[in-house]
mmCIF file of all heavy atoms in Angstrom:
data_model
loop_
_atom_site.group_PDB
_atom_site.id
_atom_site.type_symbol
_atom_site.label_atom_id
_atom_site.label_comp_id
_atom_site.label_asym_id
_atom_site.label_seq_id
_atom_site.Cartn_x
_atom_site.Cartn_y
_atom_site.Cartn_z
ATOM 1 N N LEU A 7 -5.254 12.849 -47.673
ATOM 2 C CA LEU A 7 -5.641 11.615 -47.000
ATOM 3 C C LEU A 7 -5.531 10.462 -47.962
ATOM 4 O O LEU A 7 -5.584 10.634 -49.159
ATOM 5 C CB LEU A 7 -7.066 11.727 -46.469
ATOM 6 C CG LEU A 7 -7.202 12.778 -45.376
ATOM 7 C CD1 LEU A 7 -8.602 12.786 -44.843
ATOM 8 C CD2 LEU A 7 -6.210 12.542 -44.254
ATOM 9 N N PHE A 8 -5.413 9.270 -47.401
ATOM 10 C CA PHE A 8 -4.972 8.187 -48.258
ATOM 11 C C PHE A 8 -6.002 7.735 -49.270
ATOM 12 O O PHE A 8 -5.722 6.895 -50.088
ATOM 13 C CB PHE A 8 -4.403 7.004 -47.467
ATOM 14 C CG PHE A 8 -5.290 6.469 -46.388
ATOM 15 C CD1 PHE A 8 -6.398 5.726 -46.700
ATOM 16 C CD2 PHE A 8 -4.981 6.712 -45.063
ATOM 17 C CE1 PHE A 8 -7.201 5.220 -45.711
ATOM 18 C CE2 PHE A 8 -5.783 6.195 -44.058
ATOM 19 C CZ PHE A 8 -6.898 5.452 -44.379
ATOM 20 N N CYS A 9 -7.141 8.301 -49.233
ATOM 21 C CA CYS A 9 -8.057 7.970 -50.322
ATOM 22 C C CYS A 9 -8.209 9.156 -51.239
ATOM 23 O O CYS A 9 -9.160 9.232 -52.004
ATOM 24 C CB CYS A 9 -9.399 7.510 -49.820
ATOM 25 S SG CYS A 9 -9.591 7.797 -48.102
ATOM 26 N N MET A 10 -7.268 10.068 -51.163
ATOM 27 C CA MET A 10 -7.231 11.163 -52.116
ATOM 28 C C MET A 10 -8.497 11.992 -52.041
ATOM 29 O O MET A 10 -9.107 12.324 -53.041
ATOM 30 C CB MET A 10 -7.107 10.623 -53.556
ATOM 31 C CG MET A 10 -5.929 9.741 -53.760
ATOM 32 S SD MET A 10 -4.445 10.683 -53.434
ATOM 33 C CE MET A 10 -3.271 9.370 -53.437
ATOM 34 N N MET A 11 -8.877 12.308 -50.823
ATOM 35 C CA MET A 11 -10.079 13.111 -50.694
ATOM 36 C C MET A 11 -9.750 14.565 -50.937
ATOM 37 O O MET A 11 -9.452 15.316 -50.028
ATOM 38 C CB MET A 11 -10.705 12.912 -49.320
ATOM 39 C CG MET A 11 -11.347 11.569 -49.230
ATOM 40 S SD MET A 11 -11.743 11.141 -47.551
ATOM 41 C CE MET A 11 -10.150 10.798 -46.902
ATOM 42 N N HIS A 125 -6.694 -0.821 -47.957
ATOM 43 C CA HIS A 125 -7.791 0.100 -48.283
ATOM 44 C C HIS A 125 -7.662 0.581 -49.730
ATOM 45 O O HIS A 125 -8.646 0.573 -50.491
ATOM 46 C CB HIS A 125 -7.756 1.276 -47.305
ATOM 47 C CG HIS A 125 -8.734 2.363 -47.620
ATOM 48 N ND1 HIS A 125 -9.961 2.465 -47.001
ATOM 49 C CD2 HIS A 125 -8.671 3.390 -48.505
ATOM 50 C CE1 HIS A 125 -10.605 3.511 -47.492
ATOM 51 N NE2 HIS A 125 -9.848 4.097 -48.398
ATOM 52 N N GLU A 126 -6.463 0.957 -50.122
ATOM 53 C CA GLU A 126 -6.252 1.446 -51.487
ATOM 54 C C GLU A 126 -6.536 0.354 -52.516
ATOM 55 O O GLU A 126 -7.155 0.602 -53.559
ATOM 56 C CB GLU A 126 -4.818 1.961 -51.660
ATOM 57 C CG GLU A 126 -4.539 3.275 -50.956
ATOM 58 C CD GLU A 126 -5.494 4.381 -51.416
ATOM 59 O OE1 GLU A 126 -5.844 4.413 -52.603
ATOM 60 O OE2 GLU A 126 -5.898 5.196 -50.570
ATOM 61 N N HIS A 129 -10.111 -0.053 -53.204
ATOM 62 C CA HIS A 129 -10.652 0.850 -54.230
ATOM 63 C C HIS A 129 -10.401 0.300 -55.646
ATOM 64 O O HIS A 129 -11.218 0.495 -56.540
ATOM 65 C CB HIS A 129 -10.009 2.237 -54.121
ATOM 66 C CG HIS A 129 -10.569 3.095 -53.020
ATOM 67 N ND1 HIS A 129 -11.923 3.340 -52.874
ATOM 68 C CD2 HIS A 129 -9.961 3.786 -52.021
ATOM 69 C CE1 HIS A 129 -12.110 4.142 -51.827
ATOM 70 N NE2 HIS A 129 -10.940 4.415 -51.281
ATOM 71 N N ASP A 134 -13.381 1.465 -57.944
ATOM 72 C CA ASP A 134 -13.479 2.910 -57.704
ATOM 73 C C ASP A 134 -12.351 3.638 -58.430
ATOM 74 O O ASP A 134 -12.551 4.727 -58.975
ATOM 75 C CB ASP A 134 -13.351 3.227 -56.208
ATOM 76 C CG ASP A 134 -14.382 2.498 -55.357
ATOM 77 O OD1 ASP A 134 -15.459 2.158 -55.899
ATOM 78 O OD2 ASP A 134 -14.107 2.267 -54.176
ATOM 79 N N PHE A 179 -14.089 10.005 -53.347
ATOM 80 C CA PHE A 179 -14.943 8.839 -53.303
ATOM 81 C C PHE A 179 -16.109 9.086 -52.343
ATOM 82 O O PHE A 179 -15.998 9.865 -51.404
ATOM 83 C CB PHE A 179 -14.148 7.612 -52.864
ATOM 84 C CG PHE A 179 -13.080 7.208 -53.838
ATOM 85 C CD1 PHE A 179 -11.794 6.917 -53.418
ATOM 86 C CD2 PHE A 179 -13.355 7.126 -55.193
ATOM 87 C CE1 PHE A 179 -10.810 6.544 -54.319
ATOM 88 C CE2 PHE A 179 -12.372 6.753 -56.104
ATOM 89 C CZ PHE A 179 -11.101 6.462 -55.667
ATOM 90 N N SER A 180 -17.175 8.395 -52.589
ATOM 91 C CA SER A 180 -18.346 8.553 -51.733
ATOM 92 C C SER A 180 -18.123 7.836 -50.402
ATOM 93 O O SER A 180 -17.222 7.013 -50.258
ATOM 94 C CB SER A 180 -19.577 7.959 -52.423
ATOM 95 O OG SER A 180 -19.465 6.545 -52.424
ATOM 96 N N GLN A 183 -18.261 4.178 -50.879
ATOM 97 C CA GLN A 183 -17.031 3.637 -51.476
ATOM 98 C C GLN A 183 -15.936 3.524 -50.419
ATOM 99 O O GLN A 183 -15.189 2.540 -50.396
ATOM 100 C CB GLN A 183 -16.559 4.531 -52.631
ATOM 101 C CG GLN A 183 -17.408 4.397 -53.890
ATOM 102 C CD GLN A 183 -16.981 5.388 -54.966
ATOM 103 O OE1 GLN A 183 -16.780 6.575 -54.704
ATOM 104 N NE2 GLN A 183 -16.825 4.905 -56.187
ATOM 105 N N GLU A 184 -15.867 4.534 -49.539
ATOM 106 C CA GLU A 184 -14.855 4.483 -48.475
ATOM 107 C C GLU A 184 -15.143 3.343 -47.504
ATOM 108 O O GLU A 184 -14.235 2.605 -47.115
ATOM 109 C CB GLU A 184 -14.797 5.815 -47.715
ATOM 110 C CG GLU A 184 -14.302 6.990 -48.538
ATOM 111 C CD GLU A 184 -12.948 6.767 -49.185
ATOM 112 O OE1 GLU A 184 -12.202 5.864 -48.747
ATOM 113 O OE2 GLU A 184 -12.631 7.462 -50.148
ATOM 114 N N SER A 185 -16.402 3.188 -47.119
ATOM 115 C CA SER A 185 -16.764 2.093 -46.205
ATOM 116 C C SER A 185 -16.426 0.740 -46.812
ATOM 117 O O SER A 185 -15.916 -0.149 -46.134
ATOM 118 C CB SER A 185 -18.263 2.118 -45.904
ATOM 119 O OG SER A 185 -18.559 3.215 -45.087
ATOM 120 N N ALA A 187 -14.185 0.121 -49.122
ATOM 121 C CA ALA A 187 -12.723 -0.061 -49.166
ATOM 122 C C ALA A 187 -12.190 -0.405 -47.773
ATOM 123 O O ALA A 187 -11.271 -1.213 -47.623
ATOM 124 C CB ALA A 187 -12.038 1.188 -49.720
ATOM 125 N N ASP A 188 -12.800 0.197 -46.743
ATOM 126 C CA ASP A 188 -12.428 -0.153 -45.357
ATOM 127 C C ASP A 188 -12.721 -1.632 -45.095
ATOM 128 O O ASP A 188 -11.891 -2.345 -44.527
ATOM 129 C CB ASP A 188 -13.222 0.689 -44.341
ATOM 130 C CG ASP A 188 -12.833 2.156 -44.364
ATOM 131 O OD1 ASP A 188 -11.789 2.500 -44.949
ATOM 132 O OD2 ASP A 188 -13.588 2.963 -43.789
ATOM 133 N N PHE A 209 -6.550 5.653 -39.218
ATOM 134 C CA PHE A 209 -7.496 6.783 -39.313
ATOM 135 C C PHE A 209 -7.232 7.790 -38.207
ATOM 136 O O PHE A 209 -7.251 8.994 -38.412
ATOM 137 C CB PHE A 209 -8.952 6.320 -39.144
ATOM 138 C CG PHE A 209 -9.463 5.466 -40.250
ATOM 139 C CD1 PHE A 209 -10.314 4.403 -39.976
ATOM 140 C CD2 PHE A 209 -9.119 5.726 -41.562
ATOM 141 C CE1 PHE A 209 -10.794 3.607 -40.992
ATOM 142 C CE2 PHE A 209 -9.607 4.933 -42.577
ATOM 143 C CZ PHE A 209 -10.438 3.872 -42.291
ATOM 144 N N HIS A 231 -14.314 15.275 -45.022
ATOM 145 C CA HIS A 231 -14.465 13.867 -44.689
ATOM 146 C C HIS A 231 -14.638 13.730 -43.193
ATOM 147 O O HIS A 231 -13.768 13.242 -42.485
ATOM 148 C CB HIS A 231 -13.224 13.111 -45.152
ATOM 149 C CG HIS A 231 -13.511 11.679 -45.369
ATOM 150 N ND1 HIS A 231 -13.256 10.734 -44.423
ATOM 151 C CD2 HIS A 231 -14.077 11.047 -46.407
ATOM 152 C CE1 HIS A 231 -13.635 9.572 -44.884
ATOM 153 N NE2 HIS A 231 -14.139 9.724 -46.080
ATOM 154 N N ARG A 237 -15.704 5.990 -39.019
ATOM 155 C CA ARG A 237 -15.063 4.893 -39.746
ATOM 156 C C ARG A 237 -14.211 4.048 -38.806
ATOM 157 O O ARG A 237 -14.246 2.815 -38.872
ATOM 158 C CB ARG A 237 -14.219 5.440 -40.894
ATOM 159 C CG ARG A 237 -15.073 5.939 -42.048
ATOM 160 C CD ARG A 237 -14.234 6.706 -43.047
ATOM 161 N NE ARG A 237 -13.349 5.819 -43.802
ATOM 162 C CZ ARG A 237 -12.384 6.280 -44.603
ATOM 163 N NH1 ARG A 237 -12.178 7.572 -44.726
ATOM 164 N NH2 ARG A 237 -11.643 5.433 -45.275
HETATM 165 ZN ZN1 ZN B 1 -10.371 5.625 -49.688
#
Side-chain angles (χ1 to χ4, degrees):
L7 295 183
F8 53 74
C9 11
M10 304 299 170
M11 287 166 287
H125 174 98
E126 288 303 324
H129 281 308
D134 303 334
F179 295 133
S180 72
Q183 286 175 313
E184 294 305 341
S185 289
D188 292 346
F209 293 142
H231 204 263
R237 287 169 71 190

